[in-house]
Amino acid sequence: QASAILVCLSFVLLAALPRWPTSNVPSFGSLTFIMDPVQVCVHAAFGGFIELQCSPRCQFKELGERLADLWSVPTAYQMLLHGTNSLVGSEQLVSRFTGGMKPLSLTMVVVPERIAEDLQLGSIPMRQLRALQFLGRPGLWCNGEWVVAAAAERLPHSSVSIQEAAVEVLVRVAKEGNAEGVLAAASSYLEHWQQQTREAAARVVRRVAACCGQIPIAAVEDRLRDLAPELRSTALHLLVDF
């Protein structure tokens, strides 16, 4: 009888414990009714920061998924750091939080090597598309020559989606200061044996010309003799305008 009374008292005490109202606490992961929510401040290596209130039991992989939604950075390209230490996805926030009023400060960096892996010519098309769509975002830090080369190499791709994503990457990089490198890369595909590839390269040249005021004159002049009337017309208009 005594043990039964103790069990009943335990349930009464547990029921009396305060519960955090889920409608008022912007969190994700499993809520805990014993520990206070953790204030987390995540700084992005490419600029900006965001503050979130999370359950102490929230795993870092859950936090990465939330950041992917907020910042449009795929979790595959993320690395979360606490100081200089990389964080394991299954690890919980409470393992890094020391308590007090100061928020848990983390840094999210983008790992170029993971993007480059997706862009390998032999990789799955959906992974190539994911990488190109990410690299096509305006204001992105990544403008290196490897980005230009990787995007240009996909102009002959059989997938129209991948081809168009490659065009967007090249135009973005040109707008952000590397028009000369983009035009040089695109010009080499103006002589490709596939008409579809030549047309994609011509779109890059036309859009870069419109936003940056530069064209590869010799390469465009060669298109005046192209077998495709659309390309001859594009070349003529570019030369007339510039």
Side-chain angles (χ1 to χ4, degrees):
Q1 290 182 350
S3 60
I5 293 173
L6 286 174
V7 170
C8 291
L9 284 173
S10 299
F11 279 113
V12 170
L13 289 172
L14 284 172
L17 286 173
R19 284 164 167 74
W20 299 103
T22 57
S23 59
N24 297 329
V25 180
S27 64
F28 44 90
S30 302
L31 285 173
T32 176
F33 302 140
I34 306 300
M35 302 177 68
D36 292 339
V38 174
Q39 192 75 18
V40 181
C41 182
V42 184
H43 298 265
F46 49 82
F49 69 92
I50 192 167
E51 292 186 347
L52 299 166
Q53 200 172 35
C54 312
S55 162
R57 308 291 185 193
C58 176
Q59 295 181 342
F60 287 112
K61 65 181 179 181
E62 294 178 277
L63 179 59
E65 291 167 358
R66 179 62 174 155
L67 294 174
D69 292 336
L70 294 170
W71 276 333
S72 299
V73 179
T75 55
Y77 303 154
Q78 297 178 21
M79 180 182 290
L80 282 173
L81 302 175
H82 183 230
T84 58
N85 299 316
S86 60
L87 301 170
V88 179
S90 59
E91 191 177 352
Q92 296 180 342
L93 268 63
V94 69
S95 66
R96 298 285 175 166
F97 186 59
T98 57
M101 300 298 293
K102 191 175 180 180
L104 175 62
S105 182
L106 306 174
T107 302
M108 189 194 75
V109 298
V110 176
V111 185
E113 292 80 7
R114 297 179 185 172
I115 304 174
E117 287 177 5
D118 276 1
L119 284 173
Q120 291 177 0
L121 289 174
S123 67
I124 300 171
M126 287 303 296
R127 291 179 60 182
Q128 294 187 49
L129 183 60
R130 176 178 68 177
L132 289 168
Q133 288 174 338
F134 176 68
L135 290 175
R137 291 173 49 196
L140 196 64
W141 53 271
C142 205
N143 290 328
E145 290 300 325
W146 72 271
V147 176
V148 175
E153 287 173 358
R154 273 137 200 92
L155 291 177
H157 204 283
S158 58
S159 167
V160 174
S161 297
I162 289 178
Q163 192 179 68
E164 286 304 310
V167 169
E168 293 301 324
V169 173
L170 292 169
V171 173
R172 176 194 67 78
V173 174
K175 287 180 178 178
E176 295 179 8
N178 192 11
E180 185 176 344
V182 168
L183 289 175
S187 296
S188 64
Y189 288 93
L190 286 173
E191 299 180 4
H192 197 272
W193 65 274
Q194 285 184 324
Q195 179 180 335
Q196 182 180 358
T197 300
R198 298 198 303 277
E199 290 174 348
R203 286 197 297 276
V204 173
V205 172
R206 184 174 65 248
R207 290 180 60 183
V208 173
C211 65
C212 304
Q214 300 180 47
I215 64 169
I217 295 177
V220 173
E221 287 178 340
D222 288 342
R223 291 308 96 211
L224 292 173
R225 297 183 293 275
D226 199 283
L227 294 176
E230 297 88 352
L231 284 167
R232 293 199 299 271
S233 176
T234 297
L236 180 61
H237 282 94
L238 283 169
L239 291 170
V240 169
D241 292 340
F242 290 91

